Amino acid sequence: MELVMYWIIAGLLMMILELFIPGVVIGFFGAGAILTGIIGYFIEMPWQFEVLIFLVLSLAMLQFLRKYVIKKLNKKDRSGETEDIIGAEALVAEIITPEKPGKVQYRGSLWRAESDEIIEANTRVRIITKRSIVLIVKPL
């Protein structure tokens, strides 16, 4: 029974470590330890067999669930974001000049924007392209 508590505590510690160490790996070993502790609570077995169950469960979850978990954690798929933004309309919130970038409001957020011409505030613009986090715009 004492070994069961060690498995569960170790599993919880690994799950907490997963929050601080990137990679989405340690959490699966934490889940494996917790599951091993639960199984050990109901079935009496030697510690060597518990270690084997821990390794099999942890590695199986790591192999089969890691991609799914990473996909769920990165809920927003940003692969098509650039294509969605190009051609969209935005509203100039801060004057844009060729020498000094301004700001535009797009989908409720302020974005840094550049243009090769002067565009006054409250002017509707079209987004031509995106360079990193800067939008390149032209007036409508």
Side-chain angles (χ1 to χ4, degrees), residues 6 8 10-11 28 42 86 98 101 108 113 137:
Y6 287 127
I8 293 174
F28 290 108
F42 292 107
I86 294 173
V137 298

Side-chain angles (χ1 to χ4, degrees), residues 24-112:
V24 190
V25 173
I26 297 172
F28 290 108
F29 286 93
I34 292 170
L35 289 173
T36 301
I38 292 170
I39 292 169
Y41 179 78
F42 292 107
I43 302 169
E44 185 84 23
M45 65 186 94
W47 68 269
Q48 296 90 341
F49 194 64
E50 288 183 11
V51 170
L52 180 65
I53 289 175
F54 163 70
L55 289 174
V56 168
L57 286 174
S58 299
L59 293 174
M61 286 188 292
L62 183 64
Q63 175 67 33
F64 297 111
L65 297 177
R66 186 169 185 263
K67 286 182 183 177
Y68 175 77
V69 170
I70 289 173
K71 188 176 180 180
K72 285 297 182 185
L73 289 174
N74 298 326
K75 289 180 185 170
K76 186 172 182 183
D77 179 19
R78 298 182 182 270
S79 61
E81 188 173 291
T82 301
E83 290 78 21
D84 291 344
I85 205 169
I86 294 173
E89 291 184 19
L91 182 66
V92 176
E94 180 182 297
I95 189 170
I96 303 168
T97 67
E99 298 82 30
K100 182 178 180 255
K103 296 205 187 292
V104 296
Q105 185 170 11
Y106 175 70
R107 291 188 180 171
S109 297
L110 286 178
W111 290 71
R112 187 170 172 201

